[in-house]
Amino acid sequence: MSSVVLGVGASHSTLMNTHWAEVDHLEGAHRFRDGLTGAREALAEARPDAVVIIGSNHFRGFFLDMMPAITVGVGEVLGAGEAGTPSGPLPVDIGLARHLVDSLVREEFDPAFSLRLTVDHGITHSLQHLLPGLTVPVVPVVINMFAPPLPSLARCHALGEAIGAAVRADGTAKRVAVIASGGLSHQLPWPAWFDALSDDDRFLVEAWLNGRDSWSEYEVRRREIIRAARPQINQDFDRRFLSLVEKGDLSPLLTLTSEEVAAEAGNGAQEIRSWIAMMAALGPCEGRTLAYAAMDEWLTGMGVAVLEPRS
C-alpha cells in the first residue's frame, strides 16, 4: 500500500516571478519566499515518489467552451509557461493518475481526464518553487474555482478524502505528497461570465471563451487589468484559516457557500478548495504555518503551511 506522507499548502502569484524587484525591500515578500524554501526542504526530507498537486486554472488550459468541475491529467501535461512559470512537458505518474481516476469514478465522482492537459500557474507556480527541477512525477488535479457554478467546499473535502483513499489503495508502496496551490484572500478584477458589464469584463469573457488556441494573444491586456486592480486582502480571514490548518481541521468552513467565501475573502479565495482537498487527502493531520504576508503588491494574502499525518 502507498501512503500520504506530507501535505503542503502554498499561495501563488506570478507577480513574484515578474516583478520581484518591486517588492525586494519588503519583509513580507522575503518571509513568504523563505516559507516556500522551508516547505521545499520539508518535501525533500519526505522523499516522495510522486506528488499529487491540486490547484486551479486561470483560463489558459480550460475555457468557457468546456469547463469541467474536476480534471485529472493522465497523459501528457504541459506547463503554459506564462510569466516565467514552467513551460512544456512535466513529468507525470501516469499509473497513479489513471488509478486515481478509476477510483474516483468508483466513489461516484465524475472527473474529467485529459491525455494532453495544459496547466498554468495554478499548478506550475508551486512546482517551480517547491519542486525545482521537477524530478518527481506529479499527478495534477485541477478544480474549477473561477467559473461558477463551483463545486462546493464540502464536495472538495469529499474529493480529497477519495484521493487519499485511492493513494492508499494503489498497491505500489509509494510515498506520496499532496500539494495545494492557491489562495488565500484576494479579489481578482474578473467578472462572472454571465454578468460582464464593462469593456474590460467583456474582453475577459471573450478571452475565456475563445482563447483555447490563442490565449497568449490576450495576455497583455489581461495583465494590465490585473495590475490595475486594487488589493482587497482580509487578514482576519487568512489568519483564521491558517489557525484551522494548524489544527488540521477545516470543517468549520465547509458549510460556507461560494457567495459567502467571495463576500468575506474575495473571488480569489475560492482557491481554498485546494487546501481543503489536500488536508482531507491526508486524513487526521497537524499543520505548521511557515509564512504569512498580506502582499498588496501581489493582491493576495500569501500563506505557506506544511502538514503531517497524525500517526
Side-chain angles (χ1 to χ4, degrees):
M1 293 177 58
S2 294
S3 59
V4 180
V5 296
L6 191 73
V8 174
S11 304
H12 55 237
S13 172
T14 57
L15 295 172
M16 178 178 169
N17 288 354
T18 59
H19 291 77
W20 178 260
E22 296 179 5
V23 299
D24 192 22
H25 64 290
L26 297 177
E27 191 271 337
H30 284 270
R31 184 164 64 247
F32 175 73
R33 192 171 67 174
D34 290 345
L36 289 179
T37 299
R40 182 168 68 244
E41 292 170 350
L43 279 164
E45 291 174 4
R47 298 176 290 105
D49 300 301
V51 173
V52 175
I53 178 162
I54 306 170
S56 58
N57 194 288
H58 305 77
F59 299 101
R60 295 185 182 88
F62 295 84
F63 299 88
L64 294 179
D65 59 357
M66 182 65 69
M67 182 59 66
I70 303 162
T71 305
V72 181
V74 300
E76 183 180 28
V77 176
L78 304 171
E82 82 284 5
T85 54
S87 62
L90 303 174
V92 180
D93 188 326
I94 293 175
L96 181 58
R98 292 182 58 188
H99 168 73
L100 180 56
V101 170
D102 290 343
S103 298
L104 291 177
V105 170
R106 285 194 296 270
E107 293 299 315
E108 299 189 352
F109 286 85
D110 300 301
F113 65 87
S114 175
L115 274 71
R116 186 175 294 124
L117 177 65
T118 296
V119 294
D120 67 9
H121 70 273
I123 296 289
T124 57
H125 189 273
S126 288
L127 297 180
Q128 177 183 16
H129 293 285
L130 299 176
L131 297 171
L134 302 181
T135 58
V136 179
V138 301
V139 177
V141 179
V142 181
I143 300 175
N144 172 26
M145 305 190 204
F146 290 118
L150 310 180
S152 70
L153 302 188
R155 185 63 168 167
C156 292
H157 185 272
L159 171 66
E161 290 181 322
I163 290 172
V167 168
R168 296 179 186 99
D170 85 336
T172 61
K174 290 177 180 174
R175 297 172 58 84
V176 178
V178 184
I179 294 175
S181 178
L184 302 172
S185 68
H186 61 296
Q187 178 68 27
L188 296 171
W190 288 4
W193 57 266
F194 47 81
D195 194 26
L197 302 178
S198 69
D199 287 344
D200 283 347
D201 289 351
R202 288 188 287 272
F203 166 80
L204 287 171
V205 172
E206 176 188 343
W208 300 343
L209 177 60
N210 299 321
R212 183 170 298 278
D213 297 316
S214 58
W215 64 263
S216 60
E217 297 175 11
Y218 295 93
E219 280 297 283
V220 172
R221 185 170 174 185
R222 272 181 53 134
R223 201 74 170 168
E224 291 172 349
I225 292 170
I226 291 172
R227 291 282 286 165
R230 296 178 60 185
Q232 298 182 46
I233 300 171
N234 185 338
Q235 295 189 48
D236 290 340
F237 174 89
D238 293 344
R239 296 189 187 282
R240 178 164 63 97
F241 181 84
L242 290 171
S243 71
L244 294 173
V245 169
E246 291 172 355
K247 296 174 184 175
D249 181 14
L250 292 177
S251 60
L253 302 178
L254 298 185
T255 59
L256 292 177
T257 66
S258 295
E259 292 76 15
E260 288 170 334
V261 171
E264 185 172 0
N267 58 9
Q270 306 294 0
E271 290 179 321
I272 64 173
R273 286 165 170 78
S274 61
W275 293 63
I276 289 169
M278 175 268 291
M279 289 177 60
L282 264 66
C285 60
E286 296 178 338
R288 292 181 292 120
T289 299
L290 301 187
Y292 174 73
M295 289 296 299
D296 286 351
E297 295 77 5
W298 297 340
L299 305 178
T300 304
M302 306 293 290
V304 185
V306 170
L307 298 101
E308 297 180 355
R310 292 195 182 105
S311 55

